[in-house]
Amino acid sequence: MQIQEQYARWCAQCGLLPPLDPDLEAELRGMAGDRAKIEDAFYRDLAFGTGGLRGVIGAGTNRMNVYTVAKASQGLADYVKRHFPPPAQKIAVSYDSRIKSDLFARVACGVFAANGIAVFLYPALMPTPCLSYAVRALGCAAGVMVTASHNPARYNGYKVYGADGCQITTQAAAEILAEIEKLDIFSDFQYMDFSAGEAAGRISAVPESVYTAFVAEVRKQSVLYGEKIDRNVSIVYTPLNGTGLKPVLRTLREAGYCNITVVPEQAQPDGNFPTCPNPNPEMREAMTLGMEYAAKVNADLLLATDPDCDRVGIAVKDEGGEYALLSGNEVGVLLLDYICAQRTKHGKMPADPVAVKTIVTTDMAQRVAAKYGVRTVNVLTGFKFIGEQIGLLEAQGKAGSYIFGFEESYGYLSGSYVRDKDAVNGAFLICEMFAYYKTRGISLPQRLEALYREFGFCLNTLHAYTFEGAAGFARMQGIMASLRAGVERIGPAAVCRTLDYSAGLDGLPKSDVLKFELEGDCSVTVRPSGTEPKLKAYLSVSARSREAAAALERLLAQAIERLALP
């Protein structure tokens, strides 16, 4: 169907067929005569991949709205009914603070219920890791988390989880997509009103006991093993107007951390993110207000979790007393070393300990793990591949082997109770590690410098280039094709080896990723984001000093920018 035909059909159908959203009618009227807006909204169906759906909220086939959600939910329902017997046809649903997240969650529940599937919805917004936990705790065939994670306010998304609590595999995503593609967006999904689903007993609340059990599992991840620490450290916490407030505070307070100041402007759920337009703890602007509060109360530690509370960022005082942000790689290495050291000290290291990281995460982690006799497994970008490794270890009878997994994008997990990154777990472990070292007169920057002296300095950075719309998507594809044609040098460094993961390497699934191994133990990894209209370049630079690494990183970044933005 042509773009203008699609637009005309939407104008005719919206407002007539449930589920209804009056905002769509107004937006469609506002598009009239604007060919560029109409084309961007209808030039394709919103892509459904291993991350589910993610896109700008609004009217159109390329937007997040009640109809794209209903169509995806029908495809998932058909997949569940095909693969699971009736007693196992259950789906858990959760949602974050984003605009229309609650509406989209209720629409999904209405579709599942109309298909005879038992639905469990958290009675209030809850983090992504709580959804992962509920899937397994309730014996569900699948789970849905309505979130766009750390994206700007105009985005929302629909993440799908398998029965193992991981985000769905590439194969499952392809099967669900095949089901979705059979459907007409207006006429081929079953739907019942949410209240009718509740009355029929098909939609139920996730029991409070599930949430309580999740918090208890997080607290079990402590590696103090009876050692004493000063829990009166001063903590400033911001949930960045997302889902983290209740679970993070409950977990920390139950563990004895009570000297906590919450950033008031960012405490309550608000999908407009008025004080942090990009609610991503990887970005300084999202941390700025929290750092200001930390300075006001002279806090020891700043914690920030993203809207769906699966990423956590921190700031700590440097030697000059100023607050410095630590990267995901730095925090991950610190946590890995802390966990390994404590397990080793107390005789709690399993027989075949395993740490898992993504291929774009710092290689320094592998050197730290090796010191403690821990085997490192490298996986593709995406925490679901870390979760998958937990399941594989359990299938091999090594349920206790997994000790830690992390990715450079501020995602951490130290237990097997969930199969996705968990910022509640991350915040809890960071506070414990911070208090442990502070009790012994050591700051986190000091501990990090000690690790650099022991293992060599390693600087890891991420550069992202945005390509919006149909033209941007085509341009990204062209850049990747150009890079695959051959690159001999990146800035001052010669390319020693090119790894193209599109064919599948090292037993990993096929993925649109290129890694250039450079002379001097440096590397550049380039991939299109699976969830955002961005091309991402990950730089890993080893050098004799921090200054030398920074200088080389600048040259490599400039070279990558010339390649990505000719």
Side-chain angles (χ1 to χ4, degrees), residues 307-424:
D308 67 324
C309 197
D310 63 356
R311 301 173 189 234
V312 57
I314 73 169
V316 295
K317 289 181 182 178
D318 60 20
E319 290 188 0
E322 299 296 321
Y323 289 94
L325 299 174
L326 297 188
S327 72
N329 278 314
E330 290 171 331
V331 173
V333 164
L334 284 165
L335 285 172
L336 175 63
D337 175 71
Y338 170 68
I339 291 167
C340 288
Q342 287 295 100
R343 281 180 169 269
T344 300
K345 183 199 303 185
H346 293 278
K348 300 293 185 179
M349 193 70 84
D352 179 24
V354 174
V356 190
K357 71 175 190 68
T358 62
I359 58 175
V360 298
T361 297
T362 179
D363 293 332
M364 182 179 172
Q366 196 155 326
R367 299 196 290 271
V368 172
K371 171 188 174 181
Y372 296 99
V374 174
R375 177 164 57 95
T376 302
V377 175
N378 288 280
V379 297
L380 292 176
T381 306
F383 215 91
K384 68 176 181 179
F385 295 110
I386 296 177
E388 183 180 59
Q389 289 297 317
I390 299 173
L392 291 173
L393 288 169
E394 290 181 348
Q396 296 165 13
K398 298 180 178 180
S401 288
Y402 174 83
I403 62 167
F404 189 56
F406 80 102
E407 60 184 4
E408 45 72 40
S409 54
Y410 294 58
Y412 317 102
L413 179 66
S414 66
S416 60
Y417 59 98
V418 296
R419 301 299 160 87
D420 207 343
K421 52 185 175 284
D422 180 4
V424 185

Side-chain angles (χ1 to χ4, degrees), residues 29-364:
R29 287 195 299 270
M31 287 184 193
D34 192 326
R35 293 182 62 87
K37 280 188 178 180
I38 293 172
E39 179 180 353
D40 197 44
F42 291 95
Y43 82 93
R44 65 170 184 169
D45 288 347
L46 190 62
F48 184 95
T50 55
L53 300 173
R54 186 174 297 185
V56 174
I57 302 163
T61 57
N62 187 37
R63 295 287 186 262
M64 280 292 298
N65 54 65
V66 291
Y67 297 111
T68 52
V69 167
K71 183 179 177 181
S73 298
Q74 183 64 54
L76 176 56
D78 291 340
Y79 171 84
V80 167
K81 289 190 291 185
R82 174 173 294 182
H83 286 275
F84 295 86
Q89 291 175 11
K90 299 182 287 185
I91 296 178
V93 181
S94 186
Y95 61 94
D96 70 0
S97 61
R98 288 184 172 274
I99 296 168
K100 297 187 186 293
S101 279
D102 55 345
L103 172 62
F104 295 159
R106 291 166 72 91
V107 167
C109 291
V111 172
F112 299 145
N115 279 270
I117 293 171
V119 186
F120 297 92
L121 174 69
Y122 273 106
L125 76 176
M126 277 288 171
T128 289
C130 289
L131 184 277
S132 175
Y133 185 81
V135 168
R136 298 173 69 233
L138 297 171
C140 294
V144 170
M145 178 71 196
V146 180
T147 179
S149 189
H150 56 285
N151 287 75
R154 64 195 185 107
Y155 285 85
N156 212 326
Y158 180 102
K159 291 166 68 172
V160 181
Y161 288 75
D164 59 356
C166 290
Q167 289 188 55
I168 51 173
T169 64
T170 303
Q171 179 181 342
E175 290 189 46
I176 296 169
L177 175 60
E179 297 290 349
I180 293 171
E181 289 179 335
K182 297 175 185 176
L183 306 172
D184 179 82
I185 197 164
F186 289 116
S187 60
D188 285 344
F189 61 83
Q190 300 180 58
Y191 180 73
M192 68 190 307
D193 183 73
F194 185 86
S195 58
E198 287 185 305
R202 297 182 184 179
I203 300 175
S204 307
V206 174
E208 178 71 16
S209 59
V210 172
Y211 170 51
T212 298
F214 166 81
V215 173
E217 287 291 340
V218 173
R219 289 187 55 198
K220 288 179 185 177
Q221 303 312 309
S222 171
V223 289
L224 288 173
Y225 304 116
E227 288 195 66
K228 302 298 183 185
I229 59 172
D230 178 9
R231 290 181 171 86
N232 195 39
V233 293
S234 176
I235 300 165
V236 167
Y237 170 59
T238 171
L240 298 179
N241 300 118
T243 60
L245 183 68
K246 290 183 179 179
V248 170
L249 288 186
R250 175 175 173 177
T251 301
L252 293 180
R253 285 171 175 163
E254 287 184 3
Y257 303 94
C258 295
N259 188 5
I260 303 173
T261 300
V262 179
V263 177
E265 296 92 335
Q266 298 173 343
Q268 297 305 317
D270 186 342
N272 292 299
F273 308 116
T275 61
C276 51
N278 292 298
N280 182 355
E282 296 177 78
M283 302 178 69
R284 175 173 285 273
E285 65 181 282
M287 305 290 282
T288 300
L289 189 58
M291 292 170 76
E292 290 175 3
Y293 270 91
K296 285 179 185 177
V297 302
N298 193 28
D300 298 309
L301 172 66
L302 166 66
L303 296 170
T305 54
D306 69 341
D308 67 324
C309 197
D310 63 356
R311 301 173 189 234
V312 57
I314 73 169
V316 295
K317 289 181 182 178
D318 60 20
E319 290 188 0
E322 299 296 321
Y323 289 94
L325 299 174
L326 297 188
S327 72
N329 278 314
E330 290 171 331
V331 173
V333 164
L334 284 165
L335 285 172
L336 175 63
D337 175 71
Y338 170 68
I339 291 167
C340 288
Q342 287 295 100
R343 281 180 169 269
T344 300
K345 183 199 303 185
H346 293 278
K348 300 293 185 179
M349 193 70 84
D352 179 24
V354 174
V356 190
K357 71 175 190 68
T358 62
I359 58 175
V360 298
T361 297
T362 179
D363 293 332
M364 182 179 172

